Amino acid sequence: MTEHTQIITTIITSFLITLILGPIVIPILHRLKVGQSIRDEGPKSHMQKSGTPTMGGLIMITAICVTTLTSGNVNRDLYVILFATISFGLIGFIDDFIKVVLKRNLGLKAYQKLIGQITVAIIIAVYQSSISEYGTKILVPFINEEWDLGILYIPFIVTVMVATANSVNLTDGLDGLAAGVTLIVSAFFSLVAINLGYSSIAAFCGALTGACLGFLRFNAHPAKVFMGDTGSMALGGAIAAIAILMNLTLLIPIVGGIYFAEALSVILQVTSFKLTGKRIFRMSPLHHHFELKGWKETKVVIVFWSITLVLCIVGLFSLN
């Protein structure tokens, strides 16, 4: 079986597992009454989504784990990526559990999330700098040079990983947005992993792609389930770990441009309001700005998917 065939197999397997788990898990979430609460200050069109089951990220995490662990491409790198995915997913799960089960709207405090995220990120950074042949070097896209960050490597990797996870979390605000963007990004990384000879990482990317595709069956507009912080944190941790272990950290802001545009919009909005009392956007994150300008939710999602596809093509050219 060729590597390309194996990746297609992992995509299909993860996709089917997700499709099977959806009708089983979603009714359970309904019975547990783990419904999403919608912010009053958000777009009024979102109020009808109140009560939609959340924590659906458990479906994707399960599909990814089962698929990768049975793929025949299990090695140390795969375990590290799974560790990052599950650990970030666990942080999100605890946050969701506090919010929707214990009915404490704020969930984990910001510093509690950060402590957990930074701890996991440090483990990944230390692993990569100690085990990888690249050491503390990172590849710079477009010029294809390696820069040695030395003692700055670990804090840099920690910053990137935490930023990516939280950026994906902010992106998860419209039906199918985060799942669709991550599907495209993970498909991109699966192609890169195959070409660079990272068979186990390619298998993981295939499983991630299939899980996102399957989840869209239930999460596309109108969503029957939301991934919650459980899913968005897991996806962010996964994408960051994939790029880090292939020494392609600087590709994340390129191919994941939508993630960072969403995060940047929040930073700019908060900073502007605190300094001047004025808002730059009608609402942040960025997807809500376009909604309030009159775009339909589905239009925003499709446009953001399309931009991600273009950015991934740019990412491919940056490696040539």
Side-chain angles (χ1 to χ4, degrees):
M1 185 183 294
T2 66
E3 285 190 351
H4 289 83
T5 303
Q6 287 180 326
I7 302 309
I8 293 173
T9 300
T10 60
I11 292 174
I12 294 173
T13 301
S14 186
F15 171 73
L16 292 176
I17 291 174
T18 305
L19 288 186
I20 293 169
L21 288 177
I24 298 172
V25 175
I26 294 174
I28 294 174
L29 295 176
H30 267 294
R31 287 197 293 272
L32 294 175
K33 297 181 180 180
V34 287
Q36 179 74 39
S37 58
I38 304 299
R39 295 182 305 165
D40 291 334
E41 64 271 22
K44 300 305 178 186
S45 60
H46 286 218
M47 296 307 296
Q48 62 189 14
K49 299 181 182 185
S50 182
T52 301
T54 187
M55 300 171 73
L58 292 170
I59 298 171
M60 290 189 290
I61 294 172
T62 302
I64 291 167
C65 289
V66 172
T67 302
T68 52
L69 292 174
T70 58
S71 66
N73 279 304
V74 179
N75 63 11
R76 190 167 51 193
D77 282 353
L78 180 62
Y79 284 127
V80 170
I81 296 177
L82 282 174
F83 166 75
T85 304
I86 295 170
S87 297
F88 273 88
L90 180 60
I91 294 169
F93 175 81
I94 295 172
D95 192 38
D96 283 336
F97 187 84
I98 293 173
K99 286 187 289 190
V100 302
V101 177
L102 301 183
K103 307 301 181 184
R104 300 175 191 168
N105 289 338
L106 296 179
L108 285 173
K109 294 180 180 178
Y111 79 87
Q112 293 173 323
K113 288 184 189 178
L114 276 176
I115 289 173
Q117 293 169 352
I118 291 172
T119 300
V120 177
I122 288 174
I123 293 172
I124 302 299
V126 171
Y127 168 83
Q128 182 67 359
S129 62
S130 304
I131 304 299
S132 169
E133 61 182 279
Y134 298 109
T136 55
K137 296 177 181 178
I138 59 170
L139 179 69
V140 182
F142 296 106
I143 63 175
N144 287 325
E145 291 184 0
E146 292 180 353
W147 290 355
D148 193 340
L149 299 183
I151 60 173
L152 296 178
Y153 180 82
I154 290 179
F156 171 75
I157 293 299
V158 169
T159 301
V160 169
M161 194 158 203
V162 172
T164 302
N166 287 295
S167 297
V168 176
N169 182 241
L170 289 171
T171 303
D172 183 36
L174 300 180
D175 295 352
L177 179 57
V181 169
T182 304
L183 184 160
I184 298 168
V185 173
S186 60
F188 161 82
F189 276 121
S190 68
L191 291 175
V192 174
I194 291 174
N195 290 333
L196 295 180
Y198 292 98
S199 59
S200 63
I201 296 179
F204 179 88
C205 291
L208 178 57
T209 301
C212 288
L213 182 61
F215 191 70
L216 281 174
R217 167 67 179 80
F218 313 106
N219 184 239
H221 186 76
K224 299 178 180 67
V225 67
F226 299 137
M227 67 174 69
D229 286 3
T230 305
S232 60
M233 286 291 180
L235 295 184
I239 291 298
I242 288 166
I244 291 167
L245 264 62
M246 289 197 293
N247 197 39
L248 299 175
T249 313
L250 292 181
L251 269 183
I252 299 177
I254 298 175
V255 299
I258 288 296
Y259 300 145
F260 286 91
E262 296 275 29
L264 184 60
S265 70
V266 173
I267 294 170
L268 292 175
Q269 186 86 324
V270 172
T271 302
S272 176
F273 188 74
K274 285 186 175 181
L275 294 178
T276 67
K278 297 180 180 179
R279 292 180 173 85
I280 298 174
F281 305 99
R282 296 193 177 186
M283 183 179 291
S284 63
L286 189 60
H287 52 261
H288 288 325
H289 170 77
F290 288 105
E291 278 192 290
L292 293 182
K293 282 179 66 68
W295 287 26
K296 291 184 178 179
E297 180 174 352
T298 50
K299 178 179 178 180
V300 178
V301 171
I302 291 173
V303 169
F304 280 28
W305 286 358
S306 301
I307 292 172
T308 301
L309 181 59
V310 172
L311 290 174
C312 284
I313 293 172
V314 173
L316 288 174
F317 280 108
S318 76
L319 296 176
N320 293 330

